[in-house]
Amino acid sequence: MQANKQMTNHMTPLADKLRPQKLDEVFGHEHLLKEGGFLRQTISSGRPASIIFWGPPGTGKTTLARLYAAAFGAKFEQISAVFSGIADIKKVVTSAKDRKDNSTDLMPSIPTVLFVDEIHRFNKTQQDAFLPFVEDGTIVLVGATTENPSFSLNNALLSRCQVLTLKMLDEASLENILKRAEAEQGPIPLTDDARKALIHNAQGDGRYLLTMAESIYNSANPKSPLNAEQLADLLQKRMAHYDKSGDGHYNLISALHKSIRGSDPDAALYWLCRMLEGGEDPLYLARRLVRMASEDIGLADPDALGKAQQGLAAFQTLGTPEGELALAEVAVYLALAPKSNSLYMAFKQAKRMAAQQGHMSPPKHILNAPTKLMAAEGYGDGYAYDHDTPHGFSGQDYFPDGVNRPSFYKPVERGFEREMIKRMSYFNTLRQKLNK
């Protein structure tokens, strides 16, 4: 029996062995754990609240859920949205109801904390199943998600829970976790440079740090510490934190877009490479660069759209990895191009007006009259052919009858749009003269 216990302990992953047993052992998340922080304050009140932990992998969501339940002396139930369904929810709720209904003055009921890992994977119906039982206090719901709750959870469920954001663990927290591992396993056989590389490679993920540390303990010679190069040979390169269909995707493309809009070529290259390293489809990035050329540069640099299209075509010709350089060239060009969203704003205003006045016909003088009936109805009457006028410009009105002429496009004093201002001023002045 003792041998089996020792064997089980030997097989337990280091991350589980070192799981904190009290809140004071948790590293990071001081904003939640300090005096006055939400978790401390809620525990002090003695009234557990339903919460959603939102944060990257390996930041302690499950650990905090367990400690939260323990702080209230609650029954801790755990399910995973990956493997569970409505039947599993009903089973937990039934047990919780029994405990609640069978309580007495001498044996008061204890709360049930239901921890749902990957709660964002439940569909709307499954999420709705929690609502009545959270509402009447049968269960205290604690969810964990790596996805933005605003997009992945129902508003009804969110309104009954407090969302607590967990950030990636900083290097000081990771160093403390590594020291805890050394107190359990002994000094980790790494040089100082290799130790720094280990912590850096964990990318804020405490569980991954301990998994790598365990591999080092199992593989390295304690008397011969590994240097940074040897460590890199031992451990496979870790992919960057990136989910092509989740928050990582939207956060990073936003960072790339705003870096280009902010005329920062170095930041643009960094976020472009972050997405490529994370496995993003380069054609998606190429298409987004084309969009940025229209939205943020427009006619301030008419060549920008062509450059972006050329970059897309170059990648389609060369593929990965050679074609990625063409995308980098486009990103830098767009970042350093003069910026204007005048065309973008004009387009949005014109769309809005078109939607509001979609019932209005063009003025008859600019309509063709291919039949006698249409000519009799006045189609084409009074149309002035611009090429036949002295200035190549008739100054006629092309908006529907009865519509006051709007002004959508307002170029800025940057780049090629300076020239567009001159041209618009010329035609506006001439239009006024011709229409007196």
Side-chain angles (χ1 to χ4, degrees), residues 32 36-51 68 72 162 164:
L32 300 177
F38 182 85
L39 288 181
R40 291 282 187 189
Q41 200 165 346
T42 304
I43 292 169
S44 297
S45 74
R47 302 183 62 182
S50 291
I51 56 180
Y68 185 68
F72 293 104
Q162 177 73 33
L164 303 181

Side-chain angles (χ1 to χ4, degrees), residues 204-433:
D205 185 333
R207 183 172 55 242
Y208 186 75
L209 173 72
L210 291 175
T211 300
M212 291 193 296
E214 190 165 29
S215 296
I216 295 166
Y217 279 123
N218 292 337
S219 305
N221 182 350
K223 297 181 179 179
S224 180
L226 299 175
N227 59 34
E229 185 177 347
Q230 292 168 324
L231 176 67
D233 290 338
L234 175 64
L235 302 175
Q236 289 186 349
K237 176 186 175 185
R238 188 181 190 196
M239 292 299 288
H241 283 304
Y242 189 67
D243 181 354
K244 288 189 284 183
S245 62
D247 280 352
H249 168 83
Y250 296 108
N251 289 343
L252 268 63
I253 193 62
S254 176
L256 173 61
H257 196 149
K258 289 180 174 63
S259 297
I260 286 176
R261 180 182 295 156
S263 302
D264 190 333
D266 295 321
L269 283 173
Y270 171 74
W271 293 116
L272 176 71
C273 292
R274 275 283 299 273
M275 296 188 81
L276 290 171
E277 283 290 303
E280 182 58 76
D281 179 5
L283 282 174
Y284 167 79
L285 292 170
R287 291 191 296 270
R288 286 304 298 258
L289 290 170
V290 172
R291 166 68 183 193
M292 293 173 207
S294 297
E295 179 178 339
D296 292 290
I297 296 166
L299 292 172
D301 183 348
D303 288 337
L305 183 58
K307 297 286 187 187
Q309 285 281 17
Q310 290 169 11
L312 189 154
F315 180 83
Q316 289 175 321
T317 300
L318 296 173
T320 298
E322 290 88 349
E324 293 172 3
L325 186 59
L327 303 186
E329 180 178 337
V330 172
V332 170
Y333 185 92
L334 298 185
L336 295 177
K339 304 297 186 299
S340 171
N341 69 343
S342 298
L343 183 64
Y344 176 56
M345 298 305 293
F347 180 66
K348 289 205 300 183
Q349 290 175 14
K351 281 189 70 175
R352 188 158 51 245
M353 182 174 170
Q356 294 169 348
Q357 301 181 354
H359 61 289
M360 303 188 75
S361 300
K364 286 186 177 180
H365 69 271
I366 64 171
L367 298 180
N368 292 328
T371 69
K372 290 182 179 179
L373 175 61
M374 296 171 74
E377 288 291 321
Y379 283 40
D381 280 357
Y383 173 64
Y385 186 57
D386 290 82
H387 295 290
D388 289 342
T389 63
H391 303 285
F393 175 74
S394 68
Q396 287 190 307
D397 190 9
Y398 302 103
F399 281 95
D401 292 333
V403 172
N404 291 327
R405 179 181 178 81
S407 176
F408 297 133
Y409 179 52
K410 299 177 177 65
V412 297
E413 285 279 359
R414 289 190 292 274
F416 185 77
E417 282 202 325
R418 294 191 186 96
E419 178 63 28
M420 304 301 269
I421 292 174
K422 295 177 186 177
R423 296 181 187 186
M424 288 187 69
S425 177
Y426 169 78
F427 286 118
N428 286 337
T429 301
L430 192 55
R431 183 182 289 111
Q432 291 174 3
K433 289 182 179 179

Side-chain angles (χ1 to χ4, degrees), residues 20 39 45 54 94 128 131 152 179 185 265 288 292 304 330 393:
L39 288 181
S45 74
W54 171 33
T94 299
D128 284 345
L131 298 178
S152 59
K179 287 178 179 177
Q185 303 286 111
R288 286 304 298 258
M292 293 173 207
V330 172
F393 175 74

Side-chain angles (χ1 to χ4, degrees), residues 105-160:
D105 291 338
L106 293 176
M107 295 188 64
S109 68
I110 62 172
T112 299
V113 170
L114 172 57
F115 174 62
V116 184
D117 198 15
E118 305 284 348
I119 192 171
H120 61 274
R121 293 181 181 270
F122 274 150
N123 60 34
K124 183 180 186 301
T125 300
Q126 291 168 318
Q127 291 181 30
D128 284 345
F130 294 116
L131 298 178
F133 308 113
V134 172
E135 192 76 35
D136 67 11
T138 300
I139 60 171
V140 176
L141 178 65
V142 178
T145 178
T146 56
E147 298 291 326
N148 190 329
S150 300
F151 305 129
S152 59
L153 299 183
N154 295 348
N155 287 334
L157 187 59
L158 279 177
S159 69
R160 291 163 174 80

Side-chain angles (χ1 to χ4, degrees), residues 90-105:
K90 288 181 177 178
K91 184 178 178 181
V92 173
V93 168
T94 299
S95 298
K97 277 193 167 205
D98 289 342
R99 282 190 290 273
K100 187 179 178 183
D101 295 342
N102 294 329
S103 63
T104 64
D105 291 338

